[in-house]
Amino acid sequence: MWRSLSGKPIPDLIAATQELLRGDREVIHVGSDSQNYGQATNYVTVVAVLDPGHGGRVFYRRSSIPRAQTLAHKLFLEAELSLDAALFLSRAFAHDIIVHVDVNQDIKHKSSQYVRALAGMVLGHGFQVRVKPDSWAATHLADSLVKGKHFSAA
């Protein structure tokens, strides 16, 4: 179930997104992040609809699987969840959709070895891609939600 940041259930992501698309200025950003908890890996996927200079709205969805055993498994599933949401939205809207991937180009980070593969996966589906430090939908929005740093009013 998709939710707003206030925790309100969003039964129809397409309708909720459509309400925010007033012209061609708005941009849809999609990203995911994950966190291991005990024997599970929890994932959060976010959809952020921005109207530059006028703010935006965020919707998110949580999911959980048995604990991911490798970094590659976690990162590729994050990208897959983001692509699923982006593809779902792209069937309904002819708007720009940018997919944010939680990988770092800096070779000091383990995720750097997956940058080309994950960026290629996103580009191969016809979407623009952002990686760290520009992948804010994954590295900030989804990250804060999956780690429980965001507390909704509901």
Side-chain angles (χ1 to χ4, degrees), residues 29-62:
H29 297 265
V30 179
S32 297
D33 198 13
S34 61
Q35 183 74 34
N36 289 328
Y37 288 106
Q39 295 301 310
T41 301
N42 296 332
Y43 291 84
V44 169
T45 300
V46 298
V47 172
V49 182
L50 296 187
D51 184 355
H54 294 80
R57 295 276 310 273
V58 175
F59 307 111
Y60 71 94
R61 176 175 60 189
R62 296 181 185 277

Side-chain angles (χ1 to χ4, degrees), residues 7 35 45 51 71 73 78 81 93 112 118 122 133:
Q35 183 74 34
T45 300
D51 184 355
L71 177 61
H73 184 216
E78 288 174 11
L81 291 168
F93 309 117
S112 65
L118 291 166
V122 172

Side-chain angles (χ1 to χ4, degrees), residues 68-138:
Q69 297 302 310
T70 65
L71 177 61
H73 184 216
K74 279 179 64 170
L75 294 174
F76 277 89
L77 187 51
E78 288 174 11
E80 184 180 330
L81 291 168
S82 294
L83 281 170
D84 286 347
L87 287 165
F88 178 71
L89 292 168
S90 72
R91 291 183 191 107
F93 309 117
H95 258 73
D96 287 338
I97 298 176
I98 301 172
V99 176
H100 296 228
V101 182
D102 190 20
V103 291
N104 200 316
Q105 297 178 73
D106 187 333
I107 60 171
K108 293 186 295 188
H109 300 276
K110 292 179 184 177
S111 67
S112 65
Q113 63 187 314
Y114 305 108
V115 170
R116 289 183 56 185
L118 291 166
M121 187 171 142
V122 172
L123 292 169
H125 280 85
F127 299 108
Q128 297 176 54
V129 65
R130 298 288 185 273
V131 298
K132 286 181 180 176
D134 301 316
S135 59
W136 53 265

